[in-house]
Structures are given as C-alpha cells and as structure tokens.
Amino acid sequence: MLKKSMDILDVYAWTSANKSKLTECFVDNAYFSKNKWLLKLRCKNTGSPYLTIQPGVRINLSQTEPSLKTIDNFARFLRSRLRDSKITEVSMPRWERIVEFEVEKHGEKSRNIVELLPRGLWVVTDSEYRIRYANRLVEYRDREIKPGLSYKPPPSKGVPPGDDSLATSLLQGKDLVRALVFNWGLPGHVAEEIIYRAGLFPRKNNDPKTLSSSDIETLVNNYKLLVDEAREGKGYLILESENLQLFTAYNPLLFQEEYEFDVKEVESIDSAIDIYFTRLESLLELAEKQGEMKARLDSLNERIQRQKEIISNYRRQLEEISNTLSSIYTFFTELSNTLECARKTREEKGWEHIVENCPGIINVHKDKGEVEVFIGGRVITLSIRTPLEKQIVELEKTKGEVKRKIEVALNALKDIEKEYDATKMELDKVSVSKIITIKPRAWYEKFHWLFTRNGFLVIGGRDASQNEVVVKKYLRDNDIFLHADIHGGSAAVLLTNGKEPSQIDIEDAALIPACYSKAWKTGMGFIEVFWATGSSVSLSPPPGEYLPKGAIMVYGKKNYLKKPLRLGIGVDVVCDEIYGPHYKVFISPPEFVRDKSLAYAILKPGDKSVQEVASEIASYFSEILKDLHGFSVSIPPVEVSSFLPGKSVIKLIQRGSKQVDCKE
C-alpha cells in the first residue's frame, strides 16, 4: 500500500507545529503547480516560505522555489480573496484529516478548509461558513459544495485519543490491528506502532476479546503517548537500502527495531512531508513516463511483427511468381500445347471435359477462366483466355511491383526498429527507484520461518544469538525442537499452540534446520535432523559444565529423520484490506510449494552465488506478478537472498498452481 496522503498524526503534528508560526504571516500571492496550489507567504521570523496545499494529499511549508508556477481559475480566485490578507488562526477543528486556517483582509474574514481525505477539497467560506468557492464544486450523497450553501464537513471516522469509547470500540474488531484501523480510524502502520509499543506485537492478529483489561489500558495509553509525541512537530524518514519508504510524525520504533529499517530524523514535520511527497511525485512521474514508454514499445513491437508478416507475405508472393515464371520458361512449349488443348476442349465440349482430355491439367476455375497445371513437380495456375506470352509479361510486371513493395516495407521496418531502439534506450535511462510501499511484517519474519502443510508455524535462528532467543523466548514444553545432526546451523521450533502436530508437520519443520545448516554449504545431498519435545530442551548445562553461546542441551529422547537438502521458495499475493494487495516471498517444502505459490523455484546445493540465484528468482517472480496481478514493483533480489542458505543451483522455476483474486 502506498502512503498517498498525510495520516491523522501527520495532520495533528503539522497543525500543532504551525498554528502559532503562521499567524505571523501574510499571503503575498497564489499559484498553481502541477497538482497543487502554492501560497507565497511573507512571515515575520521565517522569511518567505510557500504554503503548499494539495487537497486529499498534503499541506506543508516549504522554502524550496517551485520549478513550475502557473495560474488556474482557483488560483485567480485565491489571489482576489487572499492576497495581502493576514493569517489569523490555524486549527484542526476535530479529530479528522482537515485543516482550517482563517485569514483577514480589510477587516473581512475568510475561512479556508483543506480536506486531506480522499476526494480532497479546498473550500473557501466567509466567517459564517457560507461557501464562496472551492477547488471543485461537487455534490455528494450527504453534502453539496456550491457557492452560497453552508459548508458541511464530511462524516468523521477517527476516534480522538481522549475519547471514552476507545476501550469498548477496541473489543469490536476482528483482530487487534483491524480494531485500531477500523474502530479507532488509524492507518495500519500507526496501529502496528501502538501495538508494538504496548508489547503486544506477537498478538496483533489475535481477537481483541482475548486481551486483559491491563492490555487494553496499555494500548490506550500508548495511543495517547504517540499523539503527545507527534505534537512536538518532529519528522522522521524511514529508509530501506537508501530508498525512502515512509515518513512519520513520531520516532518509528517498530520499523527501526523490529523491521531493521534506517530511520533519519529531519528538521521538522514540514521537512518530512516536503521531502516525502516531492520524492513520491518525482517517482510517480517517472513511473508514468516509464509506463508510457513501455506501452510505446509494445505498440512498436506489434507494428514490427505486423510489418514482418507483411514482408513475409510479399516474399511468399514473390517466390510463387518466380516459381511460376521459371516453370513457364522451362516448359514453355508443353504449356502452350496444354493451354491450346484446354481452349479447344472448352469450345467443343465445355469446361467439364478439360481435365479428362488435356494431360497435366488437374483442376479448372470456370469463373476466372483459369486452369491448374501440374508440371515439373509443381502446380501452376494459368489463364486460357490470355496468350501465354502476355501472361509472362504480366507476371514479370507483377514480380517487379512486389519487389518494390518488399523494398518499401523493409525501409519502413528499419524506421520502426530504429524508433523502437531509441525508445528502448530512453527507457533504460529512466531509473525508477523502488516505489514507496508499506507492507506488513509479522514478528516471526526476523527469523527463518515457514508454515507446515497443516498450518503450524516453524521458526529458526539465523545465528547463535537467535538460536538462544528462539529457545528461551518461544519454546514451550509441548512444542517441537529440531536441529540438524551436525555442528552449527539453525535451531528450529515448531509452535504447537496446544495442538498435536502430525509426523508430516514435523518433517516439514525439519526443512529449516536441514537447509540452514553447514550441510548445505558443504554440498551434501541429505542430512539427519533430530527432534524432541520442548520439555526436554534446556539452555542450562549439566552441573559443572559450560555451554558456549548458542549451544542447546537436549536431555530427553531424540527422534531422527533423514531430510534431503531441497528448498522450495515461492511468491504469493496477500489480499489485505488494510495494506492493500502485496506480495510475500516464503520458503516451503518442495513437495507442496507449487500449491501455495503463484510462482516458485526449487533449489539444491550448487556453485552459483547467492546474488546470482536471488537475482534470477526475483526477476522471474516479478514478471509473474506483473502478468497475473499488474504489479509494477520489482522484487528486490535481497528479499530472495535472505531465504537462501548459500551457493545453490535452481532445479526448477515455474508458475505455481495457486490463483488469487483480490477484489476491490
């Protein structure tokens, strides 16, 4: 899901930071620039910034001079009403993404209401909220925006942090995240931040009714604390591999600590808004240009194929004429006699007797006056109404015309191919960074993880420290502990949650300790994996002994199974009502990865580098996502390489059998 507009905390942070600052400013002028309006301000202490207003998207102060300034009808209206006016008040009238600022000119007050909701509006009213004008005059089911009418705000969806209904509304949600999104009116990333700070992130998909009263109180308090933090007016940029992903009005601990993204604090919330949306606008423009060029390439490619087909048809026609002429020149006397026979037979007996009376003629076309003659191992069609000599002249003439058509068509093909190459070269120069998206990440994704075919979650450590965490924090007595029978590698836990896993589930779980062990790196074909119940596993050594970091003791019975070193890696599309459709890369036993995937690959130990294999898989997965779901985002190879145990070889890569249809 793309962050397309400021969220409720951004709006609150912006108004908190600017409500005093802007009351020292006058409006000098108004402009239109691409998809937004700009008010040139003259301020006492902050110079001459631009107030950038893009209804439905953003409002922010910027010191950057815009590259394009024009005038449209609404900008003309703003100039007539706002120029030389003083900003007297800035507010967020209710807990909704709406900013209101009042201006005064010659003793007359006007109110400017900027709706940052979908279908955003900028409505200018008098002091009594009678509409004077708007960037769009519209009629909705519940209100009208037209001059002379009283302004009516859209229905409110958000719940203020101090509202008494927060606790009760939370219990009505399908799960914890959705409760905060749909019942508190928060975006998904803010909801997850609150849950994370409340220490409930592993339970984010649980039914809210399972929470204790203290858990609910903690959530409400963290919501209030997050709002208090936003009031400070700071701005934070979230980056992954230097690609800007998101901005927030609070320190995003979830992305920093759980997702391990880079977080950069900037000068203010205004700076964060300006940087993010300027970058987003640039990316979307480049993506649009890229899309147009790709469409142009597709069109040119179709023209190239059609032109090649035309040339091919002309060449077949030329070959047929040349073969006919060759036969005529070679068998001129015989053909002349055959045609004379056909003429006489037609005159004396009729068309129907030509084939039986004239050797070599195998068919007649009475309506065209033609006969088909088999001669020299070839069938040629000739007229019996025209002398053979004249037919030769006509055929030579047609042959010359076809040759000229081929020449013209070839020149046209060269021109189209030249245009195709130039467009392709231009497209290659258009570098579009990773489109800004927000994807949810589960708590277990920081480990090796998979789901067995019966739905049990399996997690495994990526290093010695994580091995300890997996056992110490997550292993319970009834869970299953697994490890390869080789020194070093991933310690895995099959989380039973009180249910009884089957032998197949345990075999599926063994994929993690088998593949993420030294056995893969040494190129082995199989490895033995042992498993034991959680009650027989400990991080404590026997009395008088010492356990190195990451070492784990198993005091009970060990059960062994032989596991082939084969790894399935697939990609799926998740239909999420909060974050929108997004892809998910995962690992799975090769036996059923096909059924779970839109596309998949099966790997075994080999000699190709992790980067090389990851790039090939990521490229293939991206193409499948584009073909099946229209995804324009390429999967970064790093999202695949994080699942690879080491040097590998791809045994199989193809489409999976799963079908996904995310309804709007």
Side-chain angles (χ1 to χ4, degrees), residues 337-467:
N337 294 335
T338 299
L339 292 178
E340 183 61 28
C341 173
R343 291 189 195 100
K344 287 184 178 180
T345 304
R346 179 200 62 183
E347 292 172 358
E348 297 172 0
K349 299 181 180 180
W351 281 92
E352 60 274 16
H353 296 284
I354 291 178
V355 172
E356 62 188 50
N357 284 281
C358 300
I361 296 178
I362 60 173
N363 198 7
V364 298
H365 302 284
K366 182 178 178 180
D367 54 333
K368 296 180 180 180
E370 295 176 345
V371 294
E372 292 180 16
V373 183
F374 182 79
I375 193 166
R378 181 182 295 123
V379 177
I380 60 174
T381 302
L382 297 170
S383 172
I384 67 171
R385 296 171 180 169
T386 305
L388 187 57
E389 294 83 352
K390 190 173 182 180
Q391 291 187 62
I392 292 172
V393 173
E394 290 297 326
L395 285 169
E396 289 287 3
K397 181 181 177 182
T398 303
K399 180 180 177 181
E401 290 172 351
V402 173
K403 281 184 176 180
R404 285 189 292 274
K405 287 180 180 179
I406 291 173
E407 185 178 354
V408 171
L410 284 170
N411 289 332
L413 176 62
K414 288 179 182 178
D415 291 340
I416 301 170
E417 289 177 333
K418 186 177 180 181
E419 186 179 354
Y420 180 93
D421 292 340
T423 305
K424 181 71 165 61
M425 190 178 298
E426 186 180 357
L427 176 61
D428 292 339
K429 292 178 182 178
V430 178
S431 176
V432 180
S433 300
K434 184 181 176 184
I435 295 295
I436 306 168
T437 58
I438 308 169
K439 286 199 305 177
R441 274 178 75 181
W443 63 269
Y444 50 78
E445 290 185 45
K446 60 186 173 185
F447 304 111
H448 294 307
W449 63 275
L450 64 80
F451 283 93
T452 70
R453 65 193 80 192
N454 289 317
F456 288 93
L457 173 62
V458 185
I459 58 174
R462 292 181 178 271
D463 52 35
S465 296
Q466 280 199 349
N467 281 346

Side-chain angles (χ1 to χ4, degrees), residues 304-320:
I304 288 171
Q305 299 310 315
R306 287 199 302 269
Q307 196 68 13
K308 286 181 176 179
E309 183 62 28
I310 289 170
I311 293 169
S312 179
N313 290 336
Y314 281 151
R315 282 174 170 162
R316 281 196 294 271
Q317 185 181 354
L318 179 63
E319 183 181 11
E320 184 179 339

Side-chain angles (χ1 to χ4, degrees), residues 28-47:
D28 260 358
N29 217 334
Y31 303 95
F32 179 70
S33 179
K34 295 181 181 178
N35 51 10
K36 54 190 175 293
W37 287 271
L38 311 169
L39 295 182
K40 179 72 171 176
L41 304 182
R42 184 176 71 257
C43 303
K44 184 177 180 180
N45 297 315
T46 56

Side-chain angles (χ1 to χ4, degrees), residues 52-275:
T52 301
I53 298 177
Q54 188 177 355
V57 179
R58 61 162 161 163
I59 181 169
N60 68 279
L61 289 172
S62 175
Q63 297 288 348
T64 305
E65 184 70 25
S67 58
L68 176 67
K69 293 189 295 186
T70 60
I71 302 295
D72 67 347
N73 288 337
F74 189 58
R76 289 189 183 93
F77 170 81
L78 294 174
R79 287 186 173 190
S80 68
R81 294 288 180 174
L82 272 62
R83 184 186 278 173
D84 296 326
S85 65
K86 184 179 187 299
I87 299 176
T88 56
E89 184 183 357
V90 178
S91 66
M92 182 179 174
R94 58 200 178 107
W95 194 250
E96 190 52 273
R97 290 184 291 162
I98 298 175
V99 175
E100 183 177 323
F101 65 96
E102 183 184 74
V103 299
E104 184 176 352
K105 180 179 179 181
H106 305 313
E108 184 181 1
K109 293 185 177 180
S110 299
R111 298 184 186 276
N112 291 264
I113 303 153
V114 180
E115 297 181 5
L116 298 169
L117 303 158
R119 303 183 302 186
L121 293 169
W122 181 353
V123 184
V124 182
T125 74
D126 61 18
S127 59
E128 301 299 321
Y129 290 100
R130 281 190 299 271
I131 298 172
R132 287 177 170 170
Y133 202 45
N135 66 309
R136 288 186 297 117
L137 302 179
V138 292
E139 182 176 340
Y140 298 125
R141 183 178 59 184
D142 53 352
R143 62 183 183 135
E144 289 184 61
I145 305 297
K146 293 181 180 178
L149 298 179
S150 293
Y151 170 76
K152 180 183 178 183
S156 183
K157 294 182 179 179
V159 181
D163 197 285
D164 294 337
S165 67
L166 283 174
T168 54
S169 63
L170 179 67
L171 298 175
Q172 299 168 13
K174 180 181 178 182
D175 56 47
L176 194 49
V177 174
R178 283 163 176 75
L180 270 64
V181 170
F182 296 114
N183 298 337
W184 287 8
L186 300 174
H189 64 281
V190 174
E192 289 197 336
E193 180 73 26
I194 294 170
I195 295 168
Y196 178 75
R197 292 188 179 202
L200 298 170
F201 197 63
R203 299 166 61 188
K204 69 174 185 174
N205 295 319
N206 290 7
D207 187 335
K209 294 183 180 64
T210 63
L211 299 179
S212 66
S213 58
S214 62
D215 289 336
I216 294 173
E217 184 180 354
T218 303
L219 283 167
V220 172
N221 288 337
N222 274 281
Y223 183 19
K224 293 176 181 178
L225 289 171
L226 203 64
V227 171
D228 289 341
E229 186 179 336
R231 189 167 55 217
E232 298 175 10
K234 295 180 180 179
Y236 299 86
L237 302 177
I238 300 168
L239 304 102
E240 183 185 28
S241 303
E242 299 184 358
N243 285 314
L244 182 58
Q245 297 294 302
L246 190 64
F247 78 92
T248 61
Y250 55 85
N251 188 10
L253 300 180
L254 171 67
F255 285 92
Q256 197 168 6
E257 297 173 359
E258 185 73 14
Y259 296 163
E260 298 180 348
F261 284 10
D262 295 325
V263 174
K264 178 182 178 182
E265 183 178 348
V266 291
E267 183 181 352
S268 64
I269 186 64
D270 278 297
S271 297
I273 295 168
D274 202 32
I275 292 169

